[in-house]
Amino acid sequence: ISAYDRQTQVIVPLEERSLFGITGKSLTNILRIRHAFSDGSNVGGLLTDRQYDGGGYSITGGADALYRFWDNVQVEGQLLVSTTREAFQPNVCESNLTFDHGNFTATLDGEKFNGYALYTGVKQYGRHFMFELQGAKMSPGFRAETGFEPRANQQKITYWSAYKMYPNGKVVEDWQPGFSAGRNSRRIS
């Protein structure tokens, strides 16, 4: 899919918040490929590209996979890398904030930087017991200009489990008490 924007919304992802602004014209391309296997497993790839009129670009690409061990257990993961050359438009998202330990400014001032994002998860869904264990990590310089990740320099781990019960009543078909826990923190680099 491709789009030409006359006014492009920009998201500058930081550790604790994001900055937003509107720049000039840009061309955005998104390519997604995926191959599915008969057991429900799949492998795929993603490439996004945004080119700004007057200079500046952001390219993000990577691979992902989902492998089903049995009918109800799966392991999944994704690795993305990005390279960004900011458009030189210091009036957009003007800020004194920095990222990557003060190496770069949040202002759109033409800086070039690279980053990565990693996700992995294990999930099991049974008739009664279900759980998900997921982890993600993003470097300070990771930027997805198409906006699918509004933060950077994060690491997250989450756990969820539930037990589903099926009473023989007509009013309640099923119910599931559950437990959820997680931690989201700045990456220490």
Side-chain angles (χ1 to χ4, degrees):
I1 186 168
S2 295
Y4 185 73
D5 291 319
R6 287 178 269 175
Q7 291 186 329
T8 305
Q9 182 170 344
V10 176
I11 301 172
V12 179
L14 301 171
E15 294 172 1
E16 303 295 329
R17 63 185 260 195
S18 297
L19 301 178
F20 300 91
I22 301 291
T23 66
K25 299 175 183 176
S26 73
L27 176 64
T28 301
N29 301 291
I30 301 173
L31 174 66
R32 169 77 171 136
I33 57 172
R34 184 176 152 221
H35 178 75
F37 298 97
S38 61
D39 66 352
S41 300
N42 63 69
V43 295
L46 175 71
L47 180 65
T48 69
D49 168 63
R50 179 174 280 171
Q51 303 287 328
Y52 294 96
D53 282 4
Y57 60 84
S58 179
I59 301 168
T60 303
D64 59 88
L66 181 146
Y67 180 72
R68 288 196 189 275
F69 284 100
W70 299 286
D71 287 342
N72 63 349
V73 179
Q74 66 189 43
V75 175
E76 56 191 29
Q78 181 179 50
L79 173 64
L80 296 169
V81 294
S82 68
T83 182
T84 302
R85 163 83 63 194
E86 294 174 327
F88 187 78
Q89 296 188 11
N91 296 348
V92 177
C93 297
E94 189 172 353
S95 171
N96 61 355
L97 298 173
T98 62
F99 63 97
D100 195 9
H101 306 290
N103 292 324
F104 302 102
T105 65
T107 301
L108 299 181
D109 51 9
E111 295 172 307
K112 184 179 185 313
F113 45 88
N114 304 306
Y116 69 91
L118 174 66
Y119 161 80
T120 187
V122 177
K123 300 177 180 181
Q124 186 267 333
Y125 304 106
R127 175 164 168 75
H128 293 285
F129 181 72
M130 300 161 272
F131 85 89
E132 297 178 357
L133 177 62
Q134 301 174 338
K137 191 172 193 177
M138 289 160 277
S139 70
F142 180 72
R143 190 168 297 177
E145 292 280 329
T146 51
F148 60 85
E149 188 54 62
R151 296 273 173 91
N153 198 26
Q154 303 283 314
Q155 60 184 19
K156 306 172 192 176
I157 188 163
T158 59
Y159 174 80
W160 169 83
S161 64
Y163 188 83
K164 189 175 243 185
M165 292 173 266
Y166 302 89
N168 291 329
K170 294 182 179 182
V171 176
V172 177
E173 187 175 307
D174 64 67
W175 67 286
Q176 65 181 40
F179 173 77
S180 179
R183 179 168 171 84
N184 183 8
S185 62
R186 282 190 358 204
R187 188 175 146 251
I188 307 300
S189 45

